[in-house]
Amino acid sequence: MEQIQQWLDSATGPLTGFLGGISDWLYTWIMLAVLTGTGIYLTFRSKGLQLRHFGTMTRYIVQSRKGSRGGISSFQAFAIGMATRIGIGNITGVALAMILGGPGALFWMWVVATFGMATAFAEATLAQIFKKRHPDGTFRGGPATYILRGLKSRPLAVAFAVAMVFSMTVAMPMVQSNAIAGVLANSHGVEPWVTGLVVAVLTGVVVVGGVRGVARATEVISPVMAIAYLITALAVIVLNIGALPGFFADVFMSAFGLREALAGTAGGIIAALVNGMRRGLFSNEAGMGTNPNAAATATVSHPVQQGLIQSFGVFLDTMLVCTATGFIIMTSGVLDLSTVTPDDSGVLTTVGVIDTLGGWMAWPMSIMIFFFGFSSILGAYAYGEANLVFLNASRTVHMAARVLQVVFSFVGAVLALTFVWTLMDLAMFVITILNLVGVLSLSGWVLAALKDYERQIAAIKGEGYVEVIGSDGAVRRYVTPVFVPDSAGLPGDLGGDAWTEAAASGQLADPS
């Protein structure tokens, strides 16, 4: 097996260099402008919705635990989204960004996330507006659906769906299993192929249950692992509380090139900015077009509700989890920019925790990283499956996708870290650009839905209810916003049957 490993490394080495050069150029000159530009534009047009409605976001997270009348609940959809958001990108990705761009990369991750909250809101709201009812009682949708129904562009929609299926069945599983294998190999001497085999088998067991099986699994795994990791990070912060001011000072100084020693292996402000943006995108996925696939599955009474919930996921992912990782790496002293290499990113956070809390944390950290990666693979399956549904793929193709998911969960474990991350970066570029074309072009629908939601919220605060005319012509009063496309001021005719029973999810002011 060692000889096979060496052959794989030598075979992918030249390809990694070639693809890496293309990726660097694309992210430096195209992605940087398009991604941040979209976030700034949507923030301005929505009057800073991510700040104005932040309190509402947190309330919806709690309320969304309620039943969904046979479909997938709002919280389950959020959990599927968080399964891919909170994962390896928060651990290995942050470490890689700081190695290549210095601690300043973390600052640019914050910037991307702040504006990205508006982008995440927009794409999730669009996914809800244009979602379609599936025969099994659930809803499906995402960028491919809103590009087709909103922009009326089948070629662009098909291109996105195909790119998403590749990204989620090939690239994403490889990155996750590679990170898991790296930690287990360095911390416990487990051979990468053994880790890959275990991950592949477990993946196969869960994906047999389809989207509902993934929803049930991630609803438990995602919150538990996120809380466990945040508790671990909090312990490190408490033990190094005196280093907190210095940590933020180093991040800001590095971000603007004010201290050369913190410039990262690539060096300079541009390196910090590009790597922070690139790893920030992979971590919080705002604008990437992945989370809308999960957002569309939720049963809610108004699209904006799920948009706000998914937007909060960006804050939770970057501002809390990624910042905690950056603090662990910086205060533990493991980030020696004169000696570390990108290959060290897989174990840097784990080593930092062990150095601070003791050797007994080796297994808890390994378990957390295992489930972070594993839940991300499951979330990726749900995204890929949603786009196969859009493509009207046969049952044979669906089964083939599940097999590929399992196979590449194994393959990724035995390939070089830099190769799998480069492949993922290129896949992310394609789906992000295609998605942002749809988001920007359909931003009028998002703003109309937001205006309708805010009008209803104002009425509820003032009168205690909002009056809604149902499909049967009857007027009913609700204490929660209810989306009726014909009266929402949308810029076009929506059609479809997804919102004919929107009121079923709303709360009546007078049930009688």
Side-chain angles (χ1 to χ4, degrees):
M1 199 67 194
E2 185 177 347
Q3 291 179 333
I4 296 177
Q5 182 86 55
Q6 292 176 349
W7 179 81
L8 286 172
D9 291 344
S10 62
T12 57
L15 183 60
T16 300
F18 173 72
L19 295 178
I22 296 176
S23 178
D24 289 341
W25 187 88
L26 292 174
Y27 274 83
T28 302
W29 300 107
I30 299 178
M31 182 70 89
L32 180 62
V34 175
L35 185 65
T36 55
T38 299
I40 293 172
Y41 170 77
L42 291 171
T43 297
F44 176 77
R45 289 294 309 277
S46 66
K47 301 177 182 178
L49 75 95
Q50 62 268 56
L51 300 178
R52 294 190 295 111
H53 290 294
F54 187 80
T56 307
M57 295 178 190
T58 58
R59 288 198 302 273
Y60 277 149
I61 292 296
V62 177
Q63 296 172 357
S64 64
R65 294 303 301 266
K66 297 178 180 179
S68 59
R69 298 181 181 269
I72 290 177
S73 73
S74 187
F75 183 80
Q76 285 179 320
F78 172 74
I80 292 176
M82 292 310 295
T84 53
R85 271 202 178 114
I86 297 183
I88 298 306
N90 300 92
I91 300 174
T92 301
V94 172
L96 184 59
M98 295 176 74
I99 290 172
L100 294 174
L106 191 60
F107 171 82
W108 297 113
M109 291 179 75
W110 296 337
V111 173
V112 169
T114 299
F115 292 114
M117 289 179 71
T119 307
F121 167 82
E123 59 184 358
T125 300
L126 284 173
Q128 274 288 319
I129 291 174
F130 291 101
K131 68 184 180 181
K132 298 180 67 176
R133 189 182 301 277
H134 200 257
D136 66 0
T138 62
F139 295 105
R140 303 294 169 85
T145 302
Y146 58 68
I147 288 172
L148 176 63
R149 297 186 63 194
L151 291 184
K152 313 298 183 184
S153 175
R154 176 166 290 276
L156 188 62
V158 170
F160 177 88
V162 171
M164 178 62 77
V165 171
F166 170 81
S167 298
M168 297 298 106
T169 59
V170 176
M172 180 68 82
M174 289 172 65
V175 167
Q176 305 300 331
S177 62
N178 182 274
I180 296 170
V183 169
L184 293 180
N186 284 275
S187 299
H188 311 287
V190 180
E191 290 291 334
W193 70 268
V194 174
T195 299
L197 186 62
V198 172
V199 173
V201 170
L202 291 176
T203 299
V205 170
V206 177
V207 300
V208 166
V211 173
R212 288 183 186 273
V214 170
R216 287 191 295 269
T218 55
E219 184 180 25
V220 176
I221 294 174
S222 298
V224 170
M225 288 300 103
I227 291 171
Y229 184 68
L230 285 174
I231 290 174
T232 301
L234 182 62
V236 174
I237 292 173
V238 170
L239 292 175
N240 296 278
I241 194 67
L244 204 57
F247 163 71
F248 284 107
D250 286 342
V251 168
F252 284 110
M253 293 181 73
S254 173
F256 297 99
L258 300 177
R259 189 178 297 176
E260 292 184 4
L262 299 175
T265 57
I269 299 176
I270 296 299
L273 194 155
V274 171
N275 284 287
M277 185 230 19
R278 185 185 304 190
R279 298 281 67 84
L281 170 62
F282 180 81
S283 179
N284 64 53
E285 302 182 27
M288 188 173 165
T290 49
N291 273 272
N293 295 278
T297 64
T299 303
V300 293
S301 62
H302 200 287
V304 168
Q305 292 173 319
Q306 197 63 27
L308 292 173
I309 288 175
Q310 299 299 123
S311 180
F312 181 77
V314 176
F315 174 85
L316 178 62
D317 172 273
T318 304
M319 301 304 187
L320 297 184
V321 183
C322 288
T323 300
T325 298
F327 185 83
I328 291 171
I329 292 172
M330 285 291 292
T331 58
S332 61
V334 297
L335 186 66
D336 185 348
L337 294 174
S338 63
T339 59
V340 294
T341 68
D343 290 333
D344 297 321
S345 61
V347 297
L348 209 61
T349 305
T350 300
V351 173
V353 170
I354 292 173
D355 285 356
T356 304
L357 300 181
W360 67 275
M361 279 298 299
W363 272 112
M365 278 297 296
S366 298
I367 292 171
M368 278 187 278
I369 290 173
F370 179 91
F371 281 107
F372 272 146
F374 179 57
S375 63
S376 293
I377 292 173
L378 299 184
Y381 162 76
Y383 297 159
E385 195 268 353
N387 284 274
L388 287 174
V389 170
F390 172 83
L391 294 169
N392 293 319
S394 65
R395 295 186 65 179
T396 301
V397 174
H398 276 270
M399 183 57 66
R402 295 179 183 182
V403 172
L404 286 176
Q405 193 92 17
V406 173
V407 169
F408 283 101
S409 293
F410 170 78
V411 172
V414 298
L415 292 176
L417 179 146
T418 50
F419 174 76
V420 297
W421 277 94
T422 299
L423 187 65
M424 187 68 225
D425 281 344
L426 289 172
M428 284 194 320
F429 176 84
V430 174
I431 60 178
T432 302
I433 293 298
L434 292 175
N435 177 54
L436 291 181
V437 169
V439 171
L440 287 170
S441 300
L442 298 171
S443 59
W445 291 76
V446 177
L447 297 172
L450 178 61
K451 184 177 180 180
D452 177 64
Y453 170 84
E454 292 178 336
R455 175 186 62 79
Q456 294 191 44
I457 287 293
I460 292 169
K461 288 182 178 179
E463 303 294 332
Y465 60 84
V466 61
E467 292 188 342
V468 175
I469 302 175
S471 57
D472 58 357
V475 178
R476 296 181 178 86
R477 293 176 175 178
Y478 292 89
V479 295
T480 56
V482 174
F483 186 63
V484 179
D486 291 341
S487 61
L490 299 175
D493 181 31
L494 181 59
D497 64 349
W499 290 103
T500 56
E501 299 176 8
S505 301
Q507 293 181 322
L508 283 166
D510 182 6
S512 62

